[in-house]
Coordinates of all heavy atoms in Angstrom, one line a residue:
K184 N 35.4 -4.1 -1.3 CA 34.2 -3.6 -0.5 C 33.1 -3.3 -1.5 O 31.9 -3.5 -1.2 CB 34.6 -2.3 0.2 CG 35.6 -2.5 1.4 CD 35.9 -1.2 2.1 CE 36.8 -1.5 3.3 NZ 37.1 -0.2 4.0
L185 N 33.4 -2.7 -2.7 CA 32.4 -2.4 -3.6 C 31.8 -3.7 -4.2 O 30.6 -3.8 -4.5 CB 32.9 -1.6 -4.8 CG 33.2 -0.1 -4.4 CD1 33.8 0.6 -5.6 CD2 32.0 0.6 -3.9
R186 N 32.7 -4.7 -4.4 CA 32.2 -6.0 -4.9 C 31.2 -6.6 -3.9 O 30.2 -7.2 -4.4 CB 33.4 -6.9 -5.1 CG 33.0 -8.3 -5.8 CD 34.2 -9.1 -6.1 NE 34.9 -9.6 -4.9 CZ 36.1 -9.3 -4.6 NH1 36.8 -8.5 -5.3 NH2 36.6 -9.9 -3.5
K187 N 31.5 -6.6 -2.7 CA 30.6 -7.1 -1.6 C 29.3 -6.4 -1.6 O 28.2 -7.0 -1.5 CB 31.3 -7.1 -0.3 CG 30.5 -7.7 0.8 CD 31.2 -7.7 2.1 CE 30.4 -8.3 3.3 NZ 31.1 -8.3 4.6
K188 N 29.4 -5.0 -1.7 CA 28.2 -4.2 -1.7 C 27.3 -4.5 -2.9 O 26.1 -4.6 -2.8 CB 28.6 -2.7 -1.7 CG 27.5 -1.8 -1.4 CD 28.0 -0.4 -1.3 CE 26.8 0.6 -0.9 NZ 27.3 2.0 -0.8
A189 N 28.0 -4.7 -4.1 CA 27.2 -5.0 -5.3 C 26.5 -6.4 -5.2 O 25.4 -6.6 -5.6 CB 28.1 -5.0 -6.5
F190 N 27.3 -7.3 -4.6 CA 26.7 -8.7 -4.4 C 25.5 -8.7 -3.5 O 24.5 -9.4 -3.8 CB 27.8 -9.6 -3.9 CG 27.4 -11.0 -3.8 CD1 27.4 -11.9 -4.9 CD2 26.9 -11.6 -2.6 CE1 26.9 -13.2 -4.8 CE2 26.5 -12.9 -2.5 CZ 26.5 -13.7 -3.6
N191 N 25.6 -7.9 -2.5 CA 24.5 -7.8 -1.5 C 23.4 -6.8 -1.9 O 22.3 -6.7 -1.2 CB 25.0 -7.5 -0.1 CG 25.9 -8.6 0.5 OD1 25.6 -9.8 0.3 ND2 26.9 -8.2 1.1
A192 N 23.6 -6.1 -3.0 CA 22.6 -5.0 -3.3 C 21.2 -5.5 -3.5 O 20.3 -4.8 -3.0 CB 23.1 -4.3 -4.6
P193 N 20.9 -6.6 -4.2 CA 19.5 -7.0 -4.4 C 18.8 -7.2 -3.1 O 17.6 -6.8 -2.9 CB 19.7 -8.3 -5.2 CG 21.0 -8.2 -5.9 CD 21.9 -7.5 -5.0
K194 N 19.5 -7.8 -2.1 CA 18.8 -8.1 -0.8 C 18.6 -6.7 -0.1 O 17.5 -6.5 0.5 CB 19.7 -8.9 0.0 CG 19.1 -9.4 1.3 CD 20.1 -10.3 2.1 CE 20.4 -11.6 1.4 NZ 21.2 -12.5 2.2
R195 N 19.5 -5.8 -0.2 CA 19.4 -4.5 0.4 C 18.2 -3.7 -0.2 O 17.4 -3.0 0.4 CB 20.7 -3.7 0.4 CG 20.6 -2.3 0.9 CD 20.1 -2.2 2.3 NE 20.0 -0.8 2.8 CZ 19.3 -0.4 3.9 NH1 18.8 -1.3 4.7 NH2 19.2 0.8 4.2
I196 N 18.2 -3.8 -1.6 CA 17.1 -3.1 -2.3 C 15.7 -3.6 -1.9 O 14.8 -2.8 -1.8 CB 17.4 -3.2 -3.8 CG1 18.5 -2.3 -4.3 CG2 16.1 -2.8 -4.6 CD1 18.9 -2.5 -5.7
S197 N 15.6 -4.9 -1.7 CA 14.4 -5.5 -1.3 C 14.0 -4.9 0.0 O 12.8 -4.6 0.3 CB 14.5 -7.0 -1.2 OG 13.3 -7.6 -0.8
K198 N 14.9 -4.8 0.9 CA 14.7 -4.2 2.3 C 14.3 -2.7 2.2 O 13.4 -2.3 2.8 CB 15.9 -4.4 3.2 CG 15.6 -3.9 4.6 CD 16.8 -4.2 5.5 CE 16.5 -3.7 6.9 NZ 17.7 -4.0 7.8
I199 N 15.0 -2.0 1.3 CA 14.7 -0.6 1.1 C 13.3 -0.4 0.6 O 12.6 0.5 1.0 CB 15.7 0.1 0.1 CG1 17.1 0.2 0.8 CG2 15.2 1.4 -0.4 CD1 18.2 0.7 -0.2
E200 N 12.9 -1.2 -0.3 CA 11.5 -1.2 -0.9 C 10.5 -1.3 0.3 O 9.5 -0.5 0.3 CB 11.3 -2.3 -1.9 CG 9.9 -2.2 -2.5 CD 9.7 -3.3 -3.5 OE1 10.6 -4.1 -3.8 OE2 8.5 -3.5 -4.0
K201 N 10.7 -2.2 1.2 CA 9.8 -2.4 2.3 C 9.8 -1.1 3.2 O 8.8 -0.7 3.8 CB 10.1 -3.6 3.1 CG 9.8 -4.9 2.3 CD 10.2 -6.1 3.2 CE 9.8 -7.4 2.5 NZ 10.5 -7.6 1.2
L202 N 11.0 -0.6 3.4 CA 11.1 0.6 4.3 C 10.4 1.8 3.7 O 9.8 2.6 4.4 CB 12.6 0.9 4.5 CG 13.4 -0.1 5.4 CD1 14.9 0.3 5.4 CD2 12.9 -0.1 6.8
V203 N 10.5 1.9 2.4 CA 9.9 3.0 1.7 C 8.3 2.9 1.8 O 7.6 3.9 2.0 CB 10.3 3.1 0.2 CG1 9.4 4.1 -0.6 CG2 11.8 3.5 0.1
E204 N 7.9 1.7 1.6 CA 6.4 1.4 1.7 C 5.9 1.8 3.1 O 4.9 2.4 3.2 CB 6.1 -0.1 1.4 CG 6.3 -0.5 0.0 CD 6.0 -1.9 -0.2 OE1 5.5 -2.6 0.7 OE2 6.4 -2.5 -1.3
A205 N 6.7 1.4 4.1 CA 6.3 1.7 5.5 C 6.3 3.2 5.8 O 5.4 3.7 6.4 CB 7.2 1.0 6.5
A206 N 7.3 3.9 5.2 CA 7.4 5.3 5.4 C 6.3 6.1 4.7 O 5.7 7.0 5.3 CB 8.8 5.8 4.9
E207 N 5.9 5.6 3.5 CA 4.9 6.2 2.8 C 3.5 6.0 3.4 O 2.6 6.9 3.4 CB 4.9 5.8 1.3 CG 6.1 6.3 0.6 CD 6.0 5.9 -0.9 OE1 5.4 5.0 -1.3 OE2 6.7 6.6 -1.7
R208 N 3.3 4.8 4.1 CA 2.1 4.6 4.8 C 2.0 5.5 6.0 O 1.0 6.1 6.3 CB 2.0 3.1 5.3 CG 1.7 2.1 4.2 CD 1.3 0.8 4.8 NE 2.4 0.2 5.5 CZ 3.3 -0.6 5.0 NH1 3.2 -0.9 3.7 NH2 4.2 -1.2 5.8
E209 N 3.2 5.7 6.7 CA 3.2 6.7 7.8 C 2.9 8.1 7.4 O 2.2 8.8 8.1 CB 4.6 6.6 8.5 CG 4.8 7.5 9.7 CD 3.9 7.2 10.8 OE1 3.4 6.1 10.9 OE2 3.7 8.1 11.7
I210 N 3.5 8.5 6.2 CA 3.2 9.8 5.7 C 1.7 10.0 5.4 O 1.1 11.0 5.7 CB 4.0 10.0 4.4 CG1 5.5 10.2 4.7 CG2 3.6 11.3 3.6 CD1 6.4 10.2 3.5
S211 N 1.1 9.0 4.8 CA -0.3 9.0 4.5 C -1.1 9.2 5.8 O -2.1 10.0 5.9 CB -0.7 7.8 3.8 OG -2.1 7.8 3.5
S212 N -0.7 8.4 6.8 CA -1.4 8.5 8.1 C -1.3 9.9 8.8 O -2.2 10.4 9.3 CB -0.9 7.4 9.1 OG -1.4 7.5 10.3
L213 N -0.1 10.4 8.7 CA 0.2 11.8 9.2 C -0.6 12.8 8.5 O -1.2 13.8 9.1 CB 1.7 12.1 9.1 CG 2.6 11.3 10.1 CD1 4.0 11.5 9.7 CD2 2.3 11.8 11.6
E214 N -0.8 12.7 7.2 CA -1.6 13.6 6.4 C -3.0 13.6 6.8 O -3.7 14.6 6.9 CB -1.4 13.3 4.9 CG 0.0 13.7 4.4 CD 0.3 13.2 3.0 OE1 -0.5 12.3 2.6 OE2 1.2 13.7 2.4
D215 N -3.5 12.4 7.1 CA -4.9 12.2 7.5 C -5.1 12.9 8.9 O -6.1 13.6 9.1 CB -5.3 10.8 7.7 CG -5.4 10.1 6.3 OD1 -5.5 10.8 5.3 OD2 -5.3 8.8 6.3
E216 N -4.1 12.8 9.8 CA -4.2 13.4 11.1 C -4.1 14.9 10.9 O -4.8 15.7 11.7 CB -3.0 13.0 12.0 CG -3.2 11.5 12.5 CD -2.2 11.2 13.6 OE1 -2.3 11.9 14.7 OE2 -1.3 10.4 13.4
M217 N -3.3 15.4 10.0 CA -3.2 16.9 9.7 C -4.6 17.5 9.3 O -4.9 18.6 9.7 CB -2.1 17.2 8.7 CG -0.7 16.9 9.2 SD 0.5 16.9 7.9 CE 0.6 18.7 7.6
V218 N -5.3 16.7 8.5 CA -6.6 17.1 8.1 C -7.6 17.1 9.3 O -8.4 18.1 9.6 CB -7.2 16.2 7.0 CG1 -8.7 16.6 6.8 CG2 -6.4 16.3 5.8
K219 N -7.4 16.1 10.2 CA -8.3 16.0 11.3 C -8.0 17.1 12.4 O -9.0 17.6 13.0 CB -8.0 14.6 12.0 CG -8.8 14.4 13.3 CD -8.4 13.0 13.9 CE -9.2 12.8 15.2 NZ -8.8 11.4 15.7
Y220 N -6.8 17.5 12.5 CA -6.4 18.5 13.5 C -6.1 19.9 12.8 O -5.3 20.6 13.3 CB -5.2 18.1 14.3 CG -5.5 16.9 15.2 CD1 -5.1 15.6 14.8 CD2 -6.1 17.0 16.4 CE1 -5.3 14.5 15.7 CE2 -6.4 15.9 17.3 CZ -5.9 14.7 16.9 OH -6.2 13.6 17.7
G221 N -6.9 20.1 11.8 CA -6.6 21.3 11.0 C -6.7 22.6 11.7 O -6.0 23.6 11.3
R222 N -7.4 22.7 12.8 CA -7.5 24.0 13.6 C -6.7 24.0 14.8 O -6.7 25.0 15.5 CB -9.0 24.2 13.9 CG -9.9 24.3 12.7 CD -11.3 24.6 13.2 NE -12.2 24.8 12.0 CZ -13.5 25.1 12.1 NH1 -14.1 25.3 13.3 NH2 -14.2 25.3 11.0
N223 N -5.9 22.9 15.0 CA -5.1 22.9 16.2 C -3.6 23.2 15.8 O -2.9 22.3 15.3 CB -5.2 21.5 16.8 CG -4.4 21.4 18.2 OD1 -3.4 22.1 18.4 ND2 -4.9 20.5 19.1
A224 N -3.2 24.4 15.9 CA -1.9 24.9 15.4 C -0.8 24.1 16.1 O 0.2 23.7 15.4 CB -1.7 26.4 15.7
G225 N -0.8 23.9 17.4 CA 0.2 23.1 18.0 C 0.4 21.7 17.5 O 1.5 21.2 17.3
K226 N -0.8 21.0 17.4 CA -0.7 19.7 16.9 C -0.3 19.6 15.4 O 0.5 18.7 15.0 CB -2.2 19.1 16.9 CG -2.2 17.6 16.6 CD -1.6 16.8 17.7 CE -1.8 15.3 17.4 NZ -1.1 14.4 18.4
L227 N -0.7 20.6 14.6 CA -0.2 20.7 13.2 C 1.3 20.8 13.1 O 1.9 20.2 12.2 CB -0.9 21.8 12.5 CG -2.3 21.6 12.0 CD1 -2.9 22.8 11.4 CD2 -2.3 20.4 11.0
V228 N 1.9 21.6 14.0 CA 3.3 21.8 13.9 C 4.0 20.5 14.2 O 5.0 20.1 13.6 CB 3.8 22.9 15.0 CG1 5.3 22.9 15.1 CG2 3.3 24.3 14.5
E229 N 3.5 19.8 15.2 CA 4.1 18.5 15.6 C 4.0 17.5 14.5 O 4.9 16.8 14.1 CB 3.3 18.0 16.9 CG 3.8 16.6 17.3 CD 2.9 16.0 18.4 OE1 2.2 16.8 19.0 OE2 2.9 14.7 18.6
L230 N 2.8 17.4 13.9 CA 2.6 16.5 12.8 C 3.4 16.8 11.5 O 3.9 15.9 10.8 CB 1.1 16.4 12.4 CG 0.1 15.8 13.4 CD1 -1.3 16.1 13.1 CD2 0.4 14.3 13.6
T231 N 3.5 18.1 11.3 CA 4.3 18.6 10.1 C 5.8 18.2 10.3 O 6.4 17.7 9.3 CB 4.2 20.1 10.0 OG1 2.8 20.5 9.7 CG2 5.1 20.6 8.8

Side-chain angles (χ1 to χ4, degrees):
K184 291 183 179 179
L185 289 178
R186 184 174 70 243
K187 182 177 180 180
K188 190 173 183 180
F190 183 81
N191 292 321
K194 189 179 296 184
R195 174 58 182 166
I196 287 175
S197 179
K198 184 175 181 179
I199 288 175
E200 180 180 354
K201 291 181 174 63
L202 291 172
V203 169
E204 289 179 12
E207 290 185 338
R208 284 195 298 270
E209 178 64 18
I210 290 171
S211 179
S212 176
L213 288 168
E214 289 170 343
D215 291 341
E216 287 192 65
M217 290 170 72
V218 173
K219 179 180 177 181
Y220 294 99
R222 296 183 179 181
N223 188 330
K226 188 68 174 179
L227 278 177
V228 170
E229 177 188 342
L230 293 171
T231 299

